[in-house]
Amino acid sequence: MYTPEFQAQFVKNHLRPVLDSEHPGTKIIGFDHNKDHVARWANVLYGDDAARTAFDGIGVHWYGGLNTANLENTHAAAPEKFILGTEACNCPGVVYAAVDPSEWWQRAEHLGMDILQDLLHWCTGWVDWNLILDVTGGPNHLGNRCDANIIADPVMLHAVQTW
């Protein structure tokens, strides 16, 4: 488990020098976890001048709430650095099979609100964690089946194509 102090030292002293030498131009995203802790990490990662220059930005996940004040504080710690929404998915399970479509809409609203709030509070972009999954929430190597914005139903697709 990384602490912000360990990550700052590792990236500053080891990762950034190797990437600059062997893969110049590669961006390093620090933290990359839930927004409820991002401001504390930003203060440490950007608090040391050498570490600050080693990071290009910070990644955040949507778990734990909108936490817009934490995004504001992260931006204030280093206005020249980007903040990128890097992960969000609805778990457990897939609502595709749910009889009540209002559950689909509720999940869509939740996701949309998170994206909009991120963009309103200094995130420069947003990356979808699961762009497309099957009706069971897979494929998935861990078995923690989650939802996606696009659900592919190969059985239904085959039935439509042969109709």
Side-chain angles (χ1 to χ4, degrees), residues 40-124:
R40 183 174 88 75
W41 278 70
N43 288 330
V44 173
L45 299 182
Y46 299 149
D48 170 317
D49 288 339
R52 182 186 192 113
T53 61
F55 289 95
D56 296 285
I58 282 185
V60 294
H61 302 180
W62 82 328
Y63 315 106
L66 296 175
N67 289 295
T68 56
N70 288 347
L71 294 174
E72 290 287 336
N73 291 333
T74 297
H75 173 73
E80 76 282 8
K81 303 292 184 177
F82 66 79
I83 305 170
L84 180 65
T86 59
E87 181 179 332
C89 62
N90 280 298
C91 298
V94 177
V95 297
Y96 174 76
V99 177
D100 183 5
S102 67
E103 189 174 346
W104 300 0
W105 186 248
Q106 182 182 38
R107 283 192 171 187
E109 282 181 322
H110 190 189
L111 189 62
M113 179 59 73
D114 186 77
I115 295 168
L116 291 172
Q117 290 301 313
D118 280 1
L119 296 174
L120 286 170
H121 296 277
W122 301 106
C123 285
T124 57

Side-chain angles (χ1 to χ4, degrees), residues 7-20 25-30 45-46 48-58 80-82:
Q7 189 175 77
Q9 293 303 310
F10 174 75
V11 170
K12 172 178 77 171
N13 297 322
H14 304 286
L15 184 60
R16 174 53 70 195
V18 169
L19 288 177
D20 284 349
T26 300
K27 304 285 186 206
I28 297 178
I29 299 174
L45 299 182
Y46 299 149
D48 170 317
D49 288 339
R52 182 186 192 113
T53 61
F55 289 95
D56 296 285
I58 282 185
E80 76 282 8
K81 303 292 184 177
F82 66 79

